[in-house]
Amino acid sequence: MNAKKPVRTSATLATLAFGALTFAAAPARAQSGNHLEIIHHPNYDKSVFMPFSPAIKIKSGKILWLAGGTALPVYHDHPHKREQILKYLTNDLEGQVRQTMDGIMETLKAAGASPKDVVHVFIFRARPRMGDIGKASAVVNSYFAPHNHKPTTTNLAVLELGEPEQLVEIQVVAVVD
């Protein structure tokens, strides 16, 4: 039995060899979120809804600190211009949180990160009213839920923020490769 073997040209072999070398030489990169380990207590009751993780262990990567974000665009004038304040800092906590988180998501993307890379979220709320912690947390969580990720969180009521109309400022810490 004489089976014919396929004939490969030297060009095809060179291409395959080059591709293999390129692949082998490429640095291994963790996928988004793979460099974090979510920590839960041994007695964690999964029937209880937790909007955050108690702890996250960093297994690899570099820390990315984002500046505190507000409902103002990421790039805005300093000192603040009154027309920008009136346009973006409306008296709507959930709206300000959404605008702030949109800016944070843009910054994460610019850094090559995603919501799955976020380790901690600091939420500072001014002029708090009953129920505001839940409203702010629900909006923030909506940005992480599609990624099945719950970063650690600090949610504080403070006396005041940078502008009288400012209801929220959010700072994020992430880990990237």
Side-chain angles (χ1 to χ4, degrees):
M1 295 192 130
N2 241 348
K4 282 192 165 186
K5 292 184 179 177
V7 179
R8 294 195 176 154
T9 66
S10 57
T12 303
L13 290 173
T15 302
L16 290 172
F18 179 74
L21 281 174
T22 303
F23 180 74
R29 292 186 54 106
Q31 288 189 356
S32 181
N34 287 345
H35 44 270
L36 306 178
E37 179 184 346
I38 306 302
I39 306 298
H40 285 292
H41 296 208
N43 60 349
Y44 172 44
D45 180 356
K46 293 182 175 130
S47 69
V48 175
F49 173 73
M50 285 288 292
F52 59 87
S53 296
I56 297 177
K57 185 187 292 185
I58 299 170
K59 299 187 297 185
S60 65
K62 297 175 184 164
I63 295 177
L64 172 67
W65 286 88
L66 276 65
T70 70
L72 290 168
V74 173
Y75 297 100
H76 58 274
D77 292 300
H78 289 89
H80 296 150
K81 291 187 175 173
R82 195 79 198 133
E83 60 270 13
Q84 288 178 329
I85 291 167
L86 296 175
K87 180 177 179 182
Y88 295 103
L89 299 181
T90 61
N91 191 22
D92 172 15
L93 176 65
E94 291 160 303
Q96 283 196 28
V97 172
R98 243 184 312 288
Q99 287 173 235
T100 302
M101 289 302 296
D102 287 346
I104 287 169
M105 293 300 126
E106 286 179 47
T107 304
L108 286 171
K109 185 177 178 182
S114 83
K116 285 190 80 157
D117 298 312
V118 174
V119 176
H120 195 83
V121 179
F122 296 91
I123 305 168
F124 301 92
R125 295 171 292 106
R127 294 187 285 148
R129 295 171 296 219
M130 190 67 82
D132 279 356
I133 190 169
K135 289 177 183 177
S137 291
V139 174
V140 170
N141 292 340
S142 73
Y143 285 79
F144 298 100
H147 305 278
N148 196 28
H149 180 58
K150 295 178 181 180
T152 60
T153 306
T154 301
N155 198 327
L156 300 168
V158 296
L159 184 58
E160 64 182 41
L161 292 165
E163 296 291 344
E165 296 84 358
Q166 187 178 343
L167 300 176
V168 68
E169 183 156 339
I170 300 174
Q171 183 185 22
V172 168
V173 178
V175 174
V176 295
D177 287 323

